[in-house]
Amino acid sequence: MTENNDKILTQLPARLKEARQGQGLSLDAVAKLSGVSRSMVSQIERGESSPTIATLWNLTRALQVDFAGLLDGAPTEAQIEVLRSAAVPTINNLGSGCRIRILSPPEEAGHHEVYELLIAEGGVLDSAPHTRGAREHLSVFEGAVEITSGTGTEQLQAGDTARYAADVPHAIRATAGPVRAFLVVQDA
């Protein structure tokens, strides 16, 4: 084993403990989130036990830290990911008179999706049901819309927000001028 590998292994316990404390989590909380016993988490943090790859993976997922970054010899710096307006993925052929800008990262697809909706006057985004339990949260910034979800219908103006079931047929229609809205889809 190289000197660099030894250094990584000696820093691992402190980095795990730092990540846990940085999120204000107790040993019990990490144990519940990771499925790793409280005593094992404690032993790993004290350097008394070396975690398996599977255990380390469960801990990094529970602590929401980057697996590779945890093992990297260099200290991690805060990073800001920027996606310039022109580079935002856009869907232009969904619905009628709709342009959808995808604001959430690709890895969030199906879990927590974020979109900017641009709908021309009279345009509609007509959606089939998503997976069971899916919900949408729509905030209107410009224009007015009519939302239908199942058999329910509501009118929204600029400044209004609606939350509704998306596991039934649902639609967003621009009713007064062009619409600019922010849409969050949960558990799609």
Side-chain angles (χ1 to χ4, degrees):
M1 189 175 262
T2 67
E3 186 177 312
N4 191 38
N5 288 341
D6 288 340
K7 184 177 179 183
I8 290 170
L9 291 175
T10 51
Q11 291 177 349
L12 182 62
R15 288 185 179 179
L16 283 170
K17 185 174 185 177
E18 184 180 287
R20 177 180 61 80
Q21 291 176 336
Q23 294 189 31
L25 296 173
S26 67
L27 288 170
D28 288 325
V30 171
K32 287 177 186 171
L33 290 169
S34 68
V36 177
S37 73
R38 180 192 186 285
S39 62
M40 179 56 76
V41 174
S42 178
Q43 288 173 13
I44 293 168
E45 284 187 0
R46 292 192 314 265
E48 295 173 0
S49 180
S50 294
T52 64
I53 294 295
T55 298
L56 187 56
W57 178 256
N58 289 339
L59 289 171
T60 58
R61 299 280 294 172
L63 294 168
Q64 298 177 350
V65 295
D66 178 45
F67 184 85
L70 195 61
L71 298 176
D72 189 2
T76 58
E77 294 181 23
Q79 295 180 1
I80 299 173
E81 180 181 351
V82 175
L83 190 59
R84 299 291 177 206
S85 181
V88 172
T90 302
I91 303 170
N92 291 311
N93 59 354
L94 189 63
S96 168
C98 295
R99 186 168 154 228
I100 301 170
R101 299 180 73 228
I102 306 168
L103 304 178
S104 51
E107 61 269 16
E108 288 297 317
H111 302 289
H112 192 87
E113 302 169 1
V114 181
Y115 303 98
E116 178 186 31
L117 299 182
L118 303 165
I119 307 174
E121 184 171 6
V124 61
L125 177 60
D126 200 359
S127 302
H130 301 308
T131 60
R132 185 179 179 140
R135 295 195 47 84
E136 290 186 356
H137 307 260
L138 179 75
S139 294
V140 179
F141 294 115
E142 296 173 13
V145 298
E146 175 184 84
I147 297 177
T148 58
S149 173
T151 59
T153 300
E154 286 291 335
Q155 305 292 322
L156 273 69
Q157 305 294 321
D160 293 343
T161 294
R163 297 177 183 94
Y164 50 92
D167 56 0
V168 295
H170 54 287
I172 303 167
R173 289 177 177 75
T175 57
V179 170
R180 183 171 166 259
F182 186 71
L183 177 67
V184 176
V185 183
Q186 289 180 293
D187 302 320

